[in-house]
C-alpha cells in the first residue's frame, strides 16, 4: 500500500512540476517575466511560512549558519533560478524544451559537488556522463552555426543558466551544517527570493501597469503559486523522507513528459525530435553519473531493506 501511495505521489509531483512549465508560458502572455516570478513566490512564500509554523516548533532561523542557508536559497534556488527561467521562457522556448533543459540540474549538481569537494573527483565514466548531458542540451537547442545568437538559442541558454543556478544553490546549502528544518528554509528562501526578484523587476523597468489581467494569466499565477509551489513542495518533502534523494531526482526526468503533454493540450506546442533526443541524452548522462547510487538503491530494493 505504501509503495502504491509513493508511486501516486511521485506521479502527482511530476505532473504538477512538469505542467508548471506550461503555466509559465501561459502566464507570460499577461505578466512581465520577473514580476510574474516574484508574485508567484509572494503567494507561495506566505503559504509555506504558514505551513512551517504549523509543523515546526520554531519556524524562524536563529543562527548565522541558518540565515546563511536561507540567503543562499533565496539568491540561487529562488531568485537566480526563476529570473533566468522566466526570462528564458519568455522567448521562443516550448514547455517541453524548458523542462528538458532544467532536467540537467541533477547532473550539474553532481559536478558542482565534486568541484566543492576536492577529495571527490569525477571518474572517466562520470566525465562521459557530464558530456553526454551537455550534448543533450546542444542537440535540444539545435543551434544554427551561421546564427549562434538567435533569440531561440539565447532563450535556451538562459534556461540552462537557471538549471546551473539551482544546482549550485543545492550544493552550497548542503555544505553548511545548520540543522534548519527544510520547511523553514524553503519558506524564508521563497520570501527572500521574492523580495530580490521584485528589486530585479524594478531595475529592469517592469511595472504593474504592464500586467494584462486575464483569466488565463490569473489561473497561471494561481496554479504556479498553489499547485506547483505550495502543494508541490509539500509532496516533495514527504517523498524525500520516504524515497531519498536519488529516487526523488528522477522526478526531473518524468516531468518533461507532463510538460510536453500539457504544453500541447493547452498551448498547442509541438514536440520536436530534437527535444526528445535531448531528453534521452540528458537522462543517459544522469544514469552514468549516478550509476553507483542507482545500483545501490536497486540492491536495497531487491533485498527489501529500507
Amino acid at each position: 500500500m505504501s509503495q502504491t501511495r509513493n508511486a501516486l505521489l511521485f506521479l502527482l509531483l511530476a505532473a504538477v512540476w512538469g505542467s508548471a512549465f506550461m503555466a509559465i508560458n501561459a502566464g507570460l502572455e499577461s505578466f512581465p517575466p520577473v514580476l510574474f516570478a516574484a508574485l508567484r513566490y509572494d503567494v507561495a512564500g506566505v503559504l509555506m511560512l504558514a505551513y512551517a509554523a504549523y509543523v515546526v516548533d520554531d519556524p524562524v532561523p536563529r543562527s548565522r549558519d541558518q540565515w546563511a542557508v536561507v540567503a543562499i536559497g533565496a539568491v540561487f534556488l529562488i531568485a537566480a533560478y526563476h529570473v533566468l527561467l522566466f526570462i528564458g521562457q519568455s522567448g521562443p522556448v516550448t514547455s517541453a524544451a524548458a523542462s528538458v533543459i532544467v532536467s540537467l540540474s541533477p547532473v550539474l549538481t553532481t559536478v558542482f559537488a565534486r568541484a566543492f569537494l576536492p577529495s571527490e573527483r569525477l571518474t572517466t565514466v562520470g566525465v562521459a556522463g557530464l558530456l553526454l548531458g551537455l550534448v543533450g542540451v546542444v542537440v535540444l537547442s539545435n543551434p544554427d552555426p551561421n546564427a549562434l545568437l538567435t533569440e531561440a538559442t539565447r532563450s535556451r541558454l538562459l534556461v540552462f543558466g537557471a538549471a546551473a543556478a539551482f544546482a549550485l544553490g543545492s550544493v552550497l546549502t548542503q555544505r553548511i551544517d545548520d540543522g534548519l528544518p527544510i520547511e523553514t528554509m524553503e519558506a524564508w528562501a521563497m520570501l527572500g527570493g521574492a523580495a530580490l526578484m521584485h528589486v530585479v523587476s524594478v531595475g529592469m523597468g517592469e511595472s504593474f501597469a504592464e500586467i494584462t489581467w486575464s483569466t488565463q494569466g490569473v489561473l497561471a499565477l494561481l496554479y504556479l503559486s498553489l499547485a506547483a509551489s505550495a502543494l508541490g513542495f509539500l509532496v516533495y518533502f514527504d517523498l524525500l523522507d520516504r524515497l531519498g534523494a536519488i529516487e526523488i531526482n528522477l522526478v526531473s526526468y518524468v516531468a518533461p513528459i507532463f510538460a510536453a503533454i500539457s504544453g500541447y493540450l493547452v498551448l498547442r506546442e509541438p514536440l520536436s525530435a530534437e527535444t526528445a533526443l535531448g531528453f534521452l541524452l540528458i537522462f543517459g548522462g544522469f544514469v552514468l553519473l549516478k550509476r553507483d547510487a542507482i545500483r545501490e538503491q536497486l540492491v536495497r530494493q531487491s533485498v527489501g531493506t529500507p
Side-chain angles (χ1 to χ4, degrees):
M1 185 65 180
S2 61
Q3 289 185 341
T4 301
R5 176 185 180 279
N6 290 343
L8 291 175
L9 286 177
F10 183 93
L11 288 175
L12 173 63
L13 182 60
V16 168
W17 279 1
S19 56
F21 291 91
M22 174 277 297
I24 292 172
N25 277 350
L28 285 169
E29 297 180 14
S30 301
F31 295 90
V34 180
L35 180 57
F36 185 26
L39 291 173
R40 169 187 178 178
Y41 279 98
D42 286 336
V43 178
V46 170
L47 292 174
M48 186 57 66
L49 184 60
Y51 176 73
Y54 176 73
V55 300
V56 177
D57 293 334
D58 184 5
V60 179
R62 298 297 178 183
S63 69
R64 180 183 301 176
D65 285 346
Q66 290 180 345
W67 281 112
V69 167
V70 168
I72 292 170
V75 172
F76 292 99
L77 301 180
I78 303 298
Y81 172 70
H82 289 92
V83 166
L84 293 171
L85 177 64
F86 277 56
I87 295 177
Q89 283 199 244
S90 66
V93 179
T94 65
S95 307
S99 180
V100 169
I101 296 173
V102 169
S103 72
L104 186 66
S105 184
V107 174
L108 296 175
T109 298
T110 302
V111 174
F112 283 128
R114 297 295 189 269
F116 284 97
L117 297 173
S119 61
E120 299 185 29
R121 298 295 185 184
L122 282 175
T123 63
T124 302
V125 176
V127 172
L130 170 62
L131 294 177
L132 190 61
L134 294 176
V135 168
V137 173
V138 173
V139 169
L140 190 150
S141 300
N142 193 23
D144 181 357
N146 298 317
L148 291 178
L149 294 180
T150 62
E151 184 180 1
T153 301
R154 287 196 299 269
S155 295
R156 287 168 172 79
L157 288 175
L158 284 169
V159 177
F160 174 80
F166 191 90
L168 177 58
S170 299
V171 172
L172 292 177
T173 56
Q174 291 173 10
R175 282 173 54 86
I176 301 176
D177 184 14
D178 59 285
L180 187 66
I182 192 168
E183 296 89 348
T184 302
M185 189 278 284
E186 288 286 353
W188 288 98
M190 285 180 179
L191 292 173
L196 289 173
M197 287 189 286
H198 277 295
V199 173
V200 174
S201 176
V202 172
M204 293 177 60
E206 296 180 349
S207 71
F208 283 88
E210 297 179 56
I211 298 176
T212 302
W213 293 105
S214 65
T215 300
Q216 175 176 295
V218 172
L219 288 176
L221 177 59
L222 290 175
Y223 185 80
L224 289 170
S225 301
L226 303 178
S229 298
L231 175 63
F233 276 107
L234 292 181
V235 174
Y236 174 82
F237 295 147
D238 182 73
L239 289 179
L240 183 62
D241 289 336
R242 295 172 181 272
L243 302 180
I246 298 301
E247 287 192 57
I248 202 65
N249 267 340
L250 294 176
V251 168
S252 298
Y253 301 99
V254 181
I257 298 172
F258 290 96
I261 293 173
S262 61
Y264 174 77
L265 292 177
V266 178
L267 303 178
R268 290 293 183 262
E269 295 176 339
L271 177 62
S272 67
E274 289 84 2
T275 300
L277 179 58
F279 167 76
L280 293 175
L281 291 172
I282 291 172
F283 180 68
F286 170 80
V287 171
L288 287 177
L289 276 166
K290 294 290 188 179
R291 64 195 183 282
D292 292 335
I294 293 173
R295 186 186 305 115
E296 180 181 347
Q297 189 69 28
L298 291 174
V299 170
R300 287 182 178 177
Q301 290 185 353
S302 67
V303 298
T305 57

